Amino acid sequence: MHKKTPLLTPKSFFRTYSLIHLSMVAGVLIFALIIFLQTKEQSLMLSYTGDKMFYFVPIMAILGILAGNYIYQNILKKLASKNTLTEKLSGLQTAALVKYALIEGPALLSVTAFMHDGNLYFLIITLVLAGWLILQKPTRDKIEQDLKLEGNLKNQFQQQDQPVI
């Protein structure tokens, strides 16, 4: 028996893309909440106390955001030469996954640093990164702009229930 794979439509692509984004945001926030609730001794220390993570975590957060944006833009530039909407959407999803992961990684590192010593400073960094990740939420307009969809490809993307070629 041969199973027929479902055809990709702009609607199904957007649903999957949005679900990936939501799950990454939720993963960070749920992990942070669980660790916050389980950490007994908490304090906010905004001055350096000898903990190497105090500088390492924010540096990784900034590098994660910058690297994610850089890689995302580079992948998008390469997608300009692709001729089919399927190739463009697939490449966009890959670019977004890399971008999201480079934000999520430092956020999880920050939660881990909070778990180690209870410094709420790290949790604040986590929340800033989660907020930045939330701002990366995909929209149909953003997809059209990022992929620079025009003409037939834009029309094809706007046909929400039609299979993508």
Side-chain angles (χ1 to χ4, degrees):
M1 218 179 199
H2 187 267
K3 282 189 174 182
K4 189 176 181 182
T5 54
L7 296 174
L8 176 69
T9 64
K11 185 177 183 178
S12 67
F13 168 80
F14 186 73
R15 188 178 318 127
T16 302
Y17 189 20
S18 296
L19 187 60
I20 289 168
H21 175 264
L22 178 64
S23 65
M24 293 187 97
V25 170
V28 168
L29 292 176
I30 290 169
F31 182 56
L33 179 64
I34 290 169
I35 298 304
F36 175 76
L37 294 173
Q38 290 184 346
T39 304
K40 301 290 184 226
E41 294 185 30
Q42 301 176 9
S43 62
L44 180 60
M45 294 175 282
L46 297 176
S47 59
Y48 182 67
T49 59
D51 183 7
K52 292 176 181 87
M53 297 300 274
F54 188 83
Y55 291 115
F56 184 71
V57 169
I59 288 170
M60 292 307 294
I62 292 167
L63 288 176
I65 290 170
L66 294 175
N69 287 338
Y70 177 78
I71 292 169
Y72 183 80
Q73 292 302 323
N74 277 346
I75 293 173
L76 289 183
K77 285 178 189 173
K78 292 176 185 173
L79 293 177
S81 65
K82 302 295 182 189
N83 296 322
T84 68
L85 187 57
T86 302
E87 290 174 313
K88 287 181 180 278
L89 292 176
S90 176
L92 175 70
Q93 194 168 11
T94 299
L97 277 170
V98 170
K99 182 179 184 179
Y100 299 162
L102 286 169
I103 299 168
E104 183 186 42
L108 296 175
L109 174 68
S110 189
V111 173
T112 305
F114 168 73
M115 182 174 61
H116 176 68
D117 69 0
N119 189 350
L120 291 167
Y121 162 78
F122 296 117
L123 213 52
I124 292 168
I125 294 171
T126 300
L127 294 176
V128 168
L129 288 168
W132 182 254
L133 189 55
I134 289 168
L135 291 175
Q136 306 308 305
K137 182 179 189 257
T139 65
R140 287 183 171 85
D141 288 340
K142 188 170 187 252
I143 292 169
E144 285 182 23
Q145 289 173 355
D146 286 354
L147 292 176
K148 296 177 177 62
L149 295 180
E150 296 175 342
N152 187 37
L153 292 179
K154 184 174 183 174
N155 185 39
Q156 198 177 7
F157 183 70
Q158 291 173 346
Q159 303 291 321
Q160 292 298 308
D161 293 318
Q162 295 300 314
V164 175
I165 302 170

